[in-house]
């Protein structure tokens, strides 16, 4: 009898242990799911569509001034950019005080912070400080942004925000800024020891604590967060690259970025050339699931109008950014735009795709040779499509609207799968011209290094 009692107690103990482990596992999953869904996006109520604006960096680097910023704001209004939806004037690197400059305008000896721990403003460039400048920009019905870095110094050697995130956030708010770009250059704040994540989270918390609505942008592409070639054992990887290149999925900026910032860049800075455009666009492939309202992947600033690419390539650039639903931050000197540039960046039906209120990032639907087909669902139950020709010869772009006997077996439910329809009305959004009704497939001849942006309305 006593042996039977002992066996029953032992069985009961094992059952209790299994129940306890099962309960703990369930509770852990609930906590994890709660954390994921509560912290996925940054709830600061700004950037409810992708930000549109202009930055000083691409055209002026460190050579910025109060006069340049005011002139650019004036032109943003007078040119019609503001009416088209552009609203941010962004000051990039080079604004803090510096005791010694290099020939390229970068800083070799940053000035110390003031007695209150705040970064001091270069009075030669901004003689009236920032509060009067932000007031001027706001008087135009525009918003204004400022730049800093996660490191002790910026990419250009000026004073950065490392260990001063809270005071800098409050200073930016006190000055009246509406946008903060947080860069990730230099080697004193990396990703593997979570310095980069901690610094950006501290800036996020500091900005939120100010009570001022401020768009927060993390430029995580310096040198770069993901790896082009997955190389977990660091074969021939330089020490500089080791500091910032993600080795684990948790370190990828699109994993931790949505709970930290409103927008983030994950690849190298854009250059004004075709290959740079394609590289940065391709880095967005498979990242659509990480984008939502108020939280955007970005391929970096656009280079439209800077002069080193052809008009067809600039068209393709604008269309690709629009179908991605990416922030469009101009980098050209908007004071001297030609008519082509202005008409392209203000094309109303193209911008409407970029600014679609669902904020879905477009997906690569098909890639055959030099031809790519990108698409995204829109809030009005239609679909935007970009047909891109990357090559130097004309190409035939095909969109499979549904299953068809003409398909070679690769369409697998059509390019819009899992959406299902067999015919659609097609409109050229840039030309603002209806092209007709098409069943099963749509095809068009695309010139070299050019693109079309179309709207498919299912029938």
């Amino acid at each position: 009898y006593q042996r039977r009692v002992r066996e029953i107690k032992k069985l009961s103990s094992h059952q209790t242990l299994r129940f306890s482990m099962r309960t703990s596992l369930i509770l852990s999953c609930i906590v994890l799911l709660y954390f994921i869904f509560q912290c996925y996006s940054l709830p600061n109520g700004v950037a409810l569509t992708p930000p549109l604006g202009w930055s000083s960096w691409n055209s002026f680097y460190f050579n910025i001034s109060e006069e340049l910023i005011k002139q650019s704001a004036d032109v943003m209004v007078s040119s019609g950019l503001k009416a088209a939806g552009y609203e941010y004037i962004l000051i990039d690197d080079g604004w803090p005080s510096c005791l010694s400059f290099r020939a390229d305008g970068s800083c070799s000896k940053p000035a110390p912070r003031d007695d209150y721990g705040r970064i001091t403003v270069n009075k030669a460039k901004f003689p009236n400080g920032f509060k009067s400048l932000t007031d001027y920009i706001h008087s135009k019905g525009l918003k204004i942004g400022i730049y800093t870095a996660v490191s002790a110094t910026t990419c250009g050697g000026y004073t950065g925000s490392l260990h001063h995130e809270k005071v800098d956030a409050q200073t930016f708010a006190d000055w009246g800024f509406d946008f903060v770009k947080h860069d990730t250059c230099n080697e004193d704040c990396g990703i593997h020891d979570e310095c980069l994540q901690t610094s950006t989270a501290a800036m996020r918390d500091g900005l939120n604590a100010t009570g001022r609505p401020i768009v927060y942008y993390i430029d995580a592409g310096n040198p770069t967060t993901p790896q082009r070639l997955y190389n977990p054992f660091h074969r021939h990887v330089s020490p500089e690259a080791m500091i910032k290149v993600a080795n684990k999925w948790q370190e990828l900026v699109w994993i931790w970025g949505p709970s930290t910032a409103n927008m983030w860049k994950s690849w190298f800075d854009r250059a004004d050339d075709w290959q740079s455009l394609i590289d940065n666009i391709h880095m967005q492939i498979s990242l659509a699931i990480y984008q939502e309202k108020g939280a955007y992947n970005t391929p970096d600033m656009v280079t439209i109008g800077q002069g080193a690419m052809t008009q067809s390539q600039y068209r393709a650039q604008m269309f690709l950014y629009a179908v991605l639903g990416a922030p469009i931050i101009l980098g050209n000197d908007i004071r001297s735009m030609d008519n082509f540039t202005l008409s392209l960046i203000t094309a109303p039906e193209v911008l409407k795709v970029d600014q679609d209120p669902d904020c879905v990032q477009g997906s690569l639907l098909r890639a055959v040779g030099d031809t790519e087909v990108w698409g995204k669902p829109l809030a009005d139950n239609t679909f935007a499509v970009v047909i891109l020709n990357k090559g130097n010869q004309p190409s035939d772009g095909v969109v499979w609207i549904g299953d068809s006997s003409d398909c070679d077996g690769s369409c697998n439910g059509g390019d819009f799968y899992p959406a299902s329809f067999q015919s659609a009305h097609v409109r050229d959004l840039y030309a603002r011209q209806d092209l007709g009704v098409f069943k099963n497939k749509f095809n068009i001849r695309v010139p070299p290094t050019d693109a079309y942006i179309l709207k498919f309305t299912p029938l």
Side-chain angles (χ1 to χ4, degrees):
Y1 171 79
Q2 290 177 342
R3 184 173 61 190
R4 179 59 177 162
V5 169
R6 286 195 299 270
E7 290 173 352
I8 292 173
K9 287 182 176 180
K10 185 176 181 180
L11 178 60
S12 176
S13 175
H14 287 169
Q15 290 175 332
T16 301
L17 177 60
R18 285 198 297 271
F19 177 79
S20 176
M21 292 177 64
R22 188 182 301 115
T23 303
S24 296
L25 179 60
I26 291 172
L27 289 174
S28 296
C29 289
I30 291 172
V31 169
L32 178 59
L33 288 171
Y34 176 84
F35 176 80
I36 290 172
F37 285 105
Q38 291 295 313
C39 300
Y40 183 70
S41 60
L42 178 62
N44 62 354
V46 299
L48 300 183
T49 55
L52 303 177
W54 169 85
S55 168
S56 61
W57 179 251
N58 283 7
S59 292
F60 300 100
Y61 299 104
F62 308 111
N63 302 311
I64 54 177
S65 66
E66 180 178 314
E67 181 182 14
L68 169 67
I69 301 305
K70 286 184 174 180
Q71 289 176 354
S72 299
D74 292 344
V75 170
M76 184 170 282
V77 175
S78 64
S79 65
L81 285 172
K82 177 179 180 288
Y86 292 85
E87 62 176 338
Y88 288 96
I89 296 286
L90 307 180
I91 301 170
D92 211 276
D93 203 357
W95 61 266
S97 299
C98 176
L99 301 180
S100 178
F101 294 94
R102 300 184 183 93
D104 64 357
S106 62
C107 182
S108 59
K109 187 177 181 180
R113 290 171 174 262
D114 69 14
D115 293 341
Y116 298 96
R118 298 172 301 197
I119 302 175
T120 58
V121 181
N122 186 317
K123 291 295 185 180
K125 296 179 180 180
F126 299 94
N128 297 302
F130 277 146
K131 188 62 175 73
S132 66
L133 179 58
T134 61
D135 287 344
Y136 182 86
I137 301 301
H138 293 151
S139 74
K140 299 287 181 178
L142 301 172
K143 298 177 181 178
I144 183 167
I146 193 68
Y147 168 100
T148 189
V150 299
S151 303
T153 57
T154 69
C155 300
Y158 294 84
T159 304
S161 291
L162 186 60
H163 307 313
H164 295 86
E165 293 86 2
K166 183 177 180 180
V167 67
D168 287 353
Q170 187 60 58
T171 301
F172 298 152
D174 292 343
W175 284 338
F177 284 103
D178 312 290
F179 185 114
V180 171
K181 174 182 174 180
H182 208 182
D183 216 338
T184 57
C185 338
N186 299 327
E187 301 177 19
D188 56 345
C189 191
I191 199 167
H192 308 303
D193 60 359
E194 298 193 353
C195 174
L196 196 152
Q197 298 94 314
T198 300
S199 176
T200 53
M203 181 62 76
R204 171 202 64 196
D205 294 343
L207 293 173
N208 287 344
T210 68
R212 183 176 181 81
I214 297 176
V215 175
Y216 180 35
Y217 168 37
I218 299 173
D219 186 341
N222 289 304
T224 179
T225 301
Q227 303 182 30
R228 178 179 275 129
L229 168 70
Y230 183 54
N231 188 358
F233 301 106
H234 322 307
R235 310 299 187 198
H236 301 282
V237 177
S238 71
E240 178 188 10
M242 273 291 300
I243 293 171
K244 300 272 177 58
V245 174
N247 245 2
K248 300 179 291 185
W249 66 268
Q250 299 96 324
E251 296 172 341
L252 293 165
V253 67
W254 51 81
I255 299 297
W256 53 269
S259 63
T260 308
N262 298 110
M263 48 188 282
W264 53 89
K265 177 166 77 73
S266 58
W267 200 236
F268 293 101
D269 288 353
R270 279 284 321 281
D272 190 23
D273 66 62
W274 183 245
Q275 191 57 53
S276 172
L277 170 65
I278 299 303
D279 284 349
N280 282 45
I281 293 297
H282 280 182
M283 183 48 59
Q284 312 307 307
I285 297 174
S286 301
L287 299 187
I289 195 171
Y290 301 102
Q291 176 163 306
E292 64 176 14
K293 187 182 292 289
Y296 307 100
N297 300 301
T298 176
D300 201 10
M301 292 174 278
V302 301
T303 64
I304 299 167
Q306 289 181 216
M309 296 171 69
T310 66
Q311 289 189 353
S312 67
Q313 291 169 349
Y314 284 142
R315 262 196 307 271
Q317 181 175 170
M318 184 68 184
F319 300 168
L320 287 165
Y321 273 69
V323 80
L324 287 173
I328 298 178
I329 306 300
L330 307 172
N332 61 310
D333 185 349
I334 59 175
R335 301 172 305 172
S336 56
M337 289 183 290
D338 59 26
N339 290 334
F340 167 80
T341 298
L342 182 59
S343 64
L344 176 60
I345 61 180
T346 58
E349 295 186 30
V350 178
L351 280 176
K352 191 173 181 180
V353 171
D354 181 76
Q355 296 292 292
D356 185 75
D358 280 355
C359 300
V360 174
Q361 177 180 305
S363 303
L364 177 61
L365 309 180
R366 174 179 299 276
V368 179
D370 286 326
T371 305
E372 294 181 357
V373 179
W374 293 74
K376 75 183 265 187
L378 301 175
D380 63 359
N381 291 316
T382 63
F383 297 85
V385 171
V386 168
I387 304 176
L388 170 71
N389 179 3
K390 299 180 296 181
N392 294 318
Q393 299 296 324
S395 69
D396 291 317
V398 177
V399 179
W400 293 103
I401 299 173
D403 279 325
S404 170
S405 58
D406 294 335
C407 177
D408 60 6
S410 64
C411 50
N412 297 321
D415 287 332
F416 300 98
Y417 181 83
S420 178
F421 52 95
Q422 294 299 318
S423 60
H425 179 272
V426 179
R427 179 173 173 81
D428 184 326
L429 296 179
Y430 183 56
R432 289 189 272 181
Q433 178 181 0
D434 293 326
L435 303 181
V437 173
F438 295 82
K439 185 177 181 180
N440 296 329
K441 75 174 183 179
F442 170 87
N443 60 279
I444 194 168
R445 191 76 164 164
V446 187
T449 61
D450 205 342
Y452 284 95
I453 185 166
L454 309 165
K455 187 173 189 176
F456 282 65
T457 301
L459 300 175

